[in-house]
């Protein structure tokens, strides 16, 4: 496969069995920001790992287990290099949610309970609630008028009391892209660490944690065309080494007695219990698949679809578009007099799947002054026909509600 594949999207669609209805007709799937469909390469890798290759990892003395361990650790290396990191800095988690909970809990132990974290108004609940649960004092950075995290405001708000800045790299509602390098400089300027929630960035743009200058990077495999139940936390080696374990159990220890336990070094320290072996291998295959197409090509492809969609929506009456024009792969909007759930239901009749709701970002809905938005989000397999079907369906909905 080459980057040219994106000029012939039908070929890419053919890689994804989930993009077709039971009768073989195409399904206009525009909810990839919620979860991406899986390419055959990932499905096959998962089937192989669950079948022919299956055994546990890190424990068995027999050949199959040793080979499975090699496969699991190769997946760690693949996922780490996918974001420009090292394998010893890559912890497998259940997803972004668990990765952020891990940092919120374990970094609280490093700085002491009651530390201060700066979040933003556009964060997903999974980058809000973990900090509250772990006892952090939460400050909230506002947004610019076009829906970006206002880094000038962040600069004014940050103090030496802040130990953490935690921002979405790309907003799951607005698609706005953070200037991560500047956020890192601002955080480091007051002695804080920067955690980036990279859920919506890794599937749609090149990510290099070293170039971004962040301290932690969290994401979920299932939005990156991989399986559910697997994701990653990348953290700088010295930060991971400073953190106590997150959960206790097998595989994370060095020596256990009833009096005292010592712990394995990172990343194993943070992977208690039998890991999601098959899912990790599936995520490694997903990284291979996406890398073969190329993140630059995917980014350019989604930017074109976003521009087409925004142009089509801008021409419609009674429609509010949210987020900046250079949104990454995500377009949120609201139609006056039509609840997003009704729009979603009518579009479903048209074979078009969008997301309607608060998108796990209730504080952002409050900020936008709406109870919910409709959201169309693209993947590497989306094409012009998907956009045309969406715009046609919206026109029909508007006629129904006129
Ligand atoms: N952050 C962002 C920006 C997201 O879009 C999502 C998923 N909607 C999450 C975090 C949580 O991801 P998961 O549910 O896979 O842990």
């Amino acid at each position: 496969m080459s980057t040219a594949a994106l000029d012939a999207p039908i070929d890419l669609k053919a890689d994804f069995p989930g993009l077709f209805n039971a009768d073989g007709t195409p399904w206009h799937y525009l909810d990839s920001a919620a979860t991406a469909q899986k390419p055959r390469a990932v499905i096959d890798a998962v089937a192989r790992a669950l079948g022919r290759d299956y055994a546990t990892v890190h424990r068995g003395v027999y050949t199959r287990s040793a080979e499975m361990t090699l496969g699991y650790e190769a997946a760690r290396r693949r996922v780490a290099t996918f974001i420009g990191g090292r394998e010893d800095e890559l912890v497998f988690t259940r997803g972004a949610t668990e990765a952020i909970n891990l940092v919120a809990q374990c970094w609280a132990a490093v700085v002491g309970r009651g530390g201060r974290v700066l979040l933003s108004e556009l964060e997903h609940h999974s980058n809000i609630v973990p900090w509250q649960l772990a006892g952090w004092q939460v400050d909230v950075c506002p947004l610019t008028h076009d829906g970006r995290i206002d880094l000038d405001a962040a600069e004014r708000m940050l103090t030496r009391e802040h130990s953490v800045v935690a921002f979405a790299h790309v907003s799951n509602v607005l698609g706005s892209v953070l200037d991560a390098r500047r956020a890192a400089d601002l955080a480091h300027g007051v002695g804080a660490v920067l955690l980036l929630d990279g859920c919506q960035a890794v599937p749609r743009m090149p990510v290099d944690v070293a170039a971004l200058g962040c301290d932690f990077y969290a994401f979920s495999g299932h939005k990156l065309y991989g399986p559910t139940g697997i994701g990653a936390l990348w953290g700088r080696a010295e930060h991971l080494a400073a953190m106590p374990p997150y959960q206790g159990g097998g595989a994370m220890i060095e020596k256990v007695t009833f009096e005292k336990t010592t712990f394995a070094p990172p990343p194993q320290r943070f992977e208690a219990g039998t890991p999601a072996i098959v899912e990790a291998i599936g995520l490694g295959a997903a990284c291979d698949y996406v890398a073969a197409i190329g993140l630059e090509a995917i980014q350019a492809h989604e930017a074109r679809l976003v521009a087409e969609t925004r142009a089509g929506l801008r021409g419609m009456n009674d429609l509010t578009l949210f987020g900046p024009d250079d949104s990454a792969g995500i377009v949120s909007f609201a139609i006056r007099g039509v609840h997003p759930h009704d729009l979603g239901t009518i579009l479903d009749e048209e074979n078009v799947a969008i997301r309607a709701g608060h998108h796990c970002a209730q504080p952002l809905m409050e900020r936008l002054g709406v109870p919910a938005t409709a959201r169309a989000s693209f993947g590497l397999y989306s094409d012009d026909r998907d956009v045309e079907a969406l715009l046609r369906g919206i026109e029909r909905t508007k006629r129904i509600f006129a």
Side-chain angles (χ1 to χ4, degrees):
M1 194 180 316
S2 73
T3 53
L6 287 174
D7 297 330
I10 197 67
D11 293 335
L12 279 185
K13 281 194 191 292
D15 283 351
F16 292 82
L19 290 177
F20 296 87
N21 298 310
D23 63 0
T25 54
W27 182 41
H28 299 293
Y29 182 68
L30 294 173
D31 199 16
S32 294
T35 198
Q37 296 294 331
K38 316 306 170 200
R40 188 83 61 192
V42 168
I43 298 167
D44 290 348
V46 166
R48 261 196 319 276
L50 265 180
R52 196 190 67 192
D53 297 345
Y54 190 72
T56 193
V57 293
H58 295 148
R59 293 177 183 81
V61 292
Y62 44 91
T63 309
R64 178 84 76 88
S65 173
E67 284 172 357
M68 201 59 166
T69 304
L70 289 177
Y72 178 73
E73 291 303 327
R76 187 194 305 283
R77 204 156 42 248
R78 185 67 194 91
V79 175
T81 54
F82 187 80
I83 55 164
R86 290 197 332 240
E87 63 196 281
D88 59 316
E89 297 180 319
L90 197 289
V91 180
F92 278 128
T93 62
R94 273 198 306 119
T97 299
E98 188 177 50
I100 298 171
N101 274 277
L102 192 162
V103 177
Q105 304 268 347
C106 299
W107 202 250
V110 172
V111 304
R113 233 181 128 77
R116 274 195 116 85
V117 59
L118 181 67
L119 308 177
S120 86
E121 279 183 322
L122 58 66
E123 299 309 318
H124 189 280
H125 296 164
S126 63
N127 194 27
I128 300 173
V129 185
W131 303 100
Q132 294 171 331
L133 287 179
W136 291 79
Q137 293 187 56
V138 172
D139 293 315
V140 185
C141 181
L143 306 183
T144 60
H145 69 279
D146 61 347
R148 301 173 204 274
I149 298 174
D150 184 347
L151 292 182
D152 291 335
E155 186 166 14
R156 288 191 296 275
M157 291 177 78
L158 277 169
T159 68
R160 289 257 151 213
E161 279 184 32
H162 289 99
S163 317
V164 179
V165 176
F167 287 161
H169 192 183
V170 170
S171 161
N172 67 310
V173 179
L174 304 172
S176 39
V177 183
L178 176 73
D179 178 352
R181 185 70 244 187
R182 182 170 175 218
D185 290 343
L186 293 177
H188 296 158
V190 296
V193 295
L194 175 67
L195 178 143
L196 293 176
D197 170 358
C199 256
Q200 299 297 344
V202 285
R204 40 182 65 91
M205 62 176 58
V207 169
D208 179 343
V209 287
L212 294 174
C214 60
D215 297 278
F216 295 102
Y217 201 92
F219 63 96
S220 292
H222 67 98
K223 296 177 199 276
L224 183 57
Y225 309 96
T228 50
I230 188 78
L233 171 69
W234 172 87
R236 285 180 190 274
E238 67 268 27
H239 296 333
L240 294 181
M243 295 198 300
Y246 176 52
Q247 295 177 330
M252 50 73 75
I253 55 88
E254 191 178 63
K255 170 97 180 123
V256 178
T257 68
F258 282 111
E259 290 70 40
K260 179 176 160 61
T261 293
T262 53
F263 306 114
Q268 281 73 27
R269 182 187 301 168
F270 303 105
E271 293 182 10
T274 303
I277 306 165
V278 171
E279 291 76 4
I281 288 171
L283 179 55
C287 290
D288 282 340
Y289 180 87
V290 172
I293 295 169
L295 268 306
E296 282 91 356
I298 294 169
Q299 188 176 23
H301 177 69
E302 291 192 13
R304 200 173 55 73
L305 296 175
V306 164
E308 210 176 299
T309 307
R310 289 182 73 93
L313 295 178
R314 200 171 276 120
M316 294 184 189
N317 297 329
D318 299 327
L319 193 142
T320 307
L321 257 177
F322 301 107
D325 279 336
D326 61 356
S327 295
I330 294 169
V331 180
S332 269
F333 57 96
I335 304 171
R336 182 136 44 95
V338 183
H339 194 282
H341 284 156
D342 293 329
L343 173 63
T345 306
I346 294 170
L347 288 176
D348 187 38
E349 292 167 11
E350 303 273 322
N351 205 24
V352 177
I354 61 155
R355 176 85 180 263
H358 56 62
H359 315 291
C360 298
Q362 287 178 348
L364 175 57
M365 295 299 112
E366 190 122 314
R367 160 71 170 72
L368 298 176
V370 291
T373 74
R375 179 187 74 182
S377 57
F378 302 110
L380 58 87
Y381 38 62
S382 306
D383 65 16
D384 296 342
R385 276 159 296 180
D386 298 323
V387 175
E388 284 154 19
L390 170 73
L391 296 175
R392 256 196 328 270
I394 294 172
E395 291 287 12
R396 181 177 158 237
T397 309
K398 283 167 63 66
R399 282 198 299 277
I400 291 172
F401 278 83

